[in-house]
Amino acid sequence: MAGYRTRIEIIGDILSTTRDDCQDEQGATVTYLIKKANVSYPRLSEILRMLVKQGLLEVDRTRSSSKYRISENGREFLLAYNTFTEFSNDYGLNM
Amino acid sequence: MEFLLENILNMIGFAVGLAIGLMSLIGFRNTGSPTLFRLTIAFFAISAGFLIIWVGYLAADFVTKSGDIERWVQTAGIIVQTVGYFFIAFSHSIKAFLPKSSYFRSVGVVPLFLISSVQVEHIFRSISFILLAYGAIETILSYLDTRNRGAISVASGLALLALGEFLGWYSFVFPESILYTTSISIKIAGLVALFIPVSRLPLTRIRIDDGLDGEGDEWEDEEGKEDGAARRKEGKEDGAADTRGQGQTATTMTTAQSPPAPGDGGPERREPKDGR
C-alpha cells in the first residue's frame, strides 16, 4: 500500500534527483523535477525557493528557464539525510 | 551478585541510552526530522531513568549504606524509563495509524494499559512491558517491509528488554528466585542489541551544531510514495557508498545550511491528492 512522504522525505527526493538524475550539467528544470520527484508544482516551487535560500541548491536562470543543481552544501546535507534515514529505518521508523 | 548486576545494567543502560539519544539529537538538528526528535526524547528519558536507579544504588552502597535502594528512587527511575518507552511506541503508532485512520488522529493513541493493583513500580513495569512489546512488534513489521538488517537487532533489543521487564515484574511473585537476576542479564543483552545500529554509524565529523532551528513538521504528501521510496533507496545506497568511500559522513550542516521546516505544519495537515 502506498504511504505518504513527509516534507523531509520530499526534500531528500528532490536533492537526490538533482544529484543523481540531472538532465545535463547545468541542472534540472522545474518540469523535470516535478516528474522525477513526483511533487506538485506549488509544493515544488515553495521547496525550491527554500532550498536555494538555504544554499542547498544553486539556480541557473536563463531567459527561457531556470535550472537547479545541487550545491556542495546540498551534497553534504544529502549524505547526512541518507545516514539518518538509515538510522531511523533501523529503529523501524521513517524520517 | 544481584547488586553488582543491577549496577552494571544501569550503567550500560545509561550509556547506551545517552549514545542513541545523542545520535538522534545530531540527526534531528541536521535534518529537522520529527521522528528523530521523538527518538531523542525517548532515549534521553531511558538514559535518565537508568541513571536515577544507578545513582540510587550507588547512594545505597556508599551514602546510606543500607544495602538496598530506596523504593521511591527505583520507582522514579522506572517511571522515567517508561516515558522513554512510551515515545518509542508513540513514534511507531504515528507511523502505523496516523496516515491511515482519521479516528486515531482525532482521539490520539491510547495504548491499552494493564493496571496492576500492587505498587506503582509494578504498574509501570507492566506498562513498560506493553510499550516495549508493541515497539518490538512494529519494528519486526518494519523489517518485513524494508528488509533492513539493523531493524532485526533493534527488534531483538526491544523484545529482550520487554522479556526482562516481564521477568522483573514476575519476580515479584517469587522474590528470592533466580528470576530477577535472569531479568537483569536479559535486559543487558537487550541494551547491547539496541546499540548495534548506532555503533555502525560512521562517527567522524559528526558534531552538534549551535542554534539550529530545524523544528520538523510532519505534514505529508500523498503523491507517489512508492516511486519516491524506490528513488530514495537508490539514493541511499549511493549515499552509503559515498560515506564508506570517504570514511566519514557529512553531518556537519550548520544552521544556515539546514533546510528549515515550516513552523505551521502540524501532524494532521495534508494536501489534497492533486497537491493544490
Side-chain angles (χ1 to χ4, degrees):
Chain A
M1 181 181 169
Y4 307 123
R5 286 180 296 173
T6 58
R7 181 179 171 81
I8 188 78
E9 287 175 316
I10 294 172
I11 289 173
D13 282 349
I14 292 170
L15 290 175
S16 296
T17 304
T18 55
R19 186 189 67 177
D20 306 326
D21 207 8
C22 261
Q23 291 154 297
D24 53 50
E25 284 183 4
Q26 287 174 311
T29 61
V30 171
T31 314
Y32 186 76
L33 286 173
I34 286 173
K35 197 172 112 190
K36 285 287 180 180
N38 203 9
V39 188
S40 65
Y41 178 75
R43 168 73 61 90
L44 180 70
S45 51
E46 179 242 322
I47 291 176
L48 286 178
R49 262 199 310 276
M50 186 268 292
L51 291 178
V52 170
K53 193 176 160 196
Q54 296 298 321
L56 301 184
L57 283 182
E58 291 166 351
V59 60
D60 189 6
R61 294 184 203 283
T62 62
R63 269 193 305 179
S64 56
S65 68
S66 297
K67 288 195 170 181
Y68 294 87
R69 63 176 180 276
I70 194 165
S71 66
E72 201 47 49
N73 287 340
R75 286 177 192 277
E76 289 199 356
F77 176 83
L78 198 55
L79 278 177
Y81 168 79
N82 288 329
T83 302
F84 286 107
T85 298
E86 196 160 355
F87 175 73
S88 52
N89 286 346
D90 283 343
Y91 286 86
L93 301 166
N94 296 330
M95 285 280 274
Chain B
M1 176 68 177
E2 207 171 88
F3 197 84
L4 177 70
L5 267 178
E6 272 284 2
N7 273 300
I8 293 172
L9 165 72
N10 291 307
M11 187 181 68
I12 291 177
F14 166 65
V16 169
L18 191 66
I20 302 175
L22 276 175
M23 199 54 67
S24 307
L25 178 65
I26 292 169
F28 165 66
R29 297 184 79 147
N30 281 299
T31 63
S33 162
T35 302
L36 292 175
F37 180 63
R38 283 189 289 272
L39 276 184
T40 304
I41 296 177
F43 282 103
F44 277 158
I46 290 170
S47 177
F50 278 112
L51 179 65
I52 289 169
I53 299 175
W54 188 26
V55 169
Y57 271 100
L58 290 179
D61 202 21
F62 297 113
V63 182
T64 63
K65 298 190 189 305
S66 62
D68 202 10
I69 186 172
E70 292 282 338
R71 180 60 66 189
W72 67 269
V73 177
Q74 176 130 357
T75 305
I78 286 171
I79 290 173
V80 175
Q81 279 180 43
T82 306
V83 170
Y85 298 142
F86 169 78
F87 273 97
I88 293 178
F90 182 54
S91 295
H92 282 292
S93 66
I94 284 178
K95 183 186 153 201
F97 297 124
L98 209 59
K100 295 171 193 165
S101 163
S102 57
Y103 173 74
F104 278 107
R105 282 206 305 273
S106 61
V107 299
V109 178
V110 186
L112 184 63
F113 292 138
L114 214 167
I115 303 296
S116 160
S117 60
V118 287
Q119 300 165 12
V120 178
E121 177 190 329
H122 296 286
I123 293 174
F124 278 92
R125 275 192 192 280
S126 63
I127 293 172
S128 290
F129 168 73
I130 293 168
L131 295 173
L132 284 166
Y134 176 70
I137 290 166
E138 283 292 339
T139 312
I140 289 168
L141 289 176
S142 165
Y143 167 73
L144 294 176
D145 257 3
T146 62
R147 298 285 166 190
N148 185 339
R149 277 178 295 172
I152 298 179
S153 138
V154 172
S156 314
L158 291 174
L160 286 171
L161 280 177
L163 181 62
E165 283 295 344
F166 177 75
L167 290 179
W169 178 57
Y170 202 65
S171 69
F172 177 71
V173 183
F174 305 104
E176 299 301 320
S177 68
I178 198 172
L179 274 177
Y180 196 66
T181 312
T182 312
S183 145
I184 295 171
S185 309
I186 288 174
K187 280 164 85 173
I188 291 174
L191 287 167
V192 171
L194 271 187
F195 186 69
I196 290 173
V198 179
S199 67
R200 291 198 318 233
L201 280 180
L203 290 174
T204 327
R205 279 188 68 195
I206 288 184
R207 65 180 169 83
I208 300 176
D209 303 302
D210 296 325
L212 272 177
D213 60 344
E215 174 57 54
D217 66 15
E218 211 173 315
W219 51 276
E220 294 162 340
D221 193 0
E222 297 184 3
E223 298 161 310
K225 167 86 170 184
E226 283 174 342
D227 289 349
R231 269 194 305 282
R232 274 200 312 285
K233 194 175 173 191
E234 287 168 17
K236 187 161 65 181
E237 282 164 5
D238 292 346
D242 289 349
T243 306
R244 279 194 297 274
Q246 296 167 11
Q248 63 190 22
T249 179
T251 50
T252 54
M253 302 296 296
T254 62
T255 307
Q257 294 159 348
S258 191
D264 58 347
E268 294 171 28
R269 181 174 159 192
R270 282 192 174 71
E271 282 193 347
K273 215 156 199 163
D274 62 2
R276 290 171 196 278

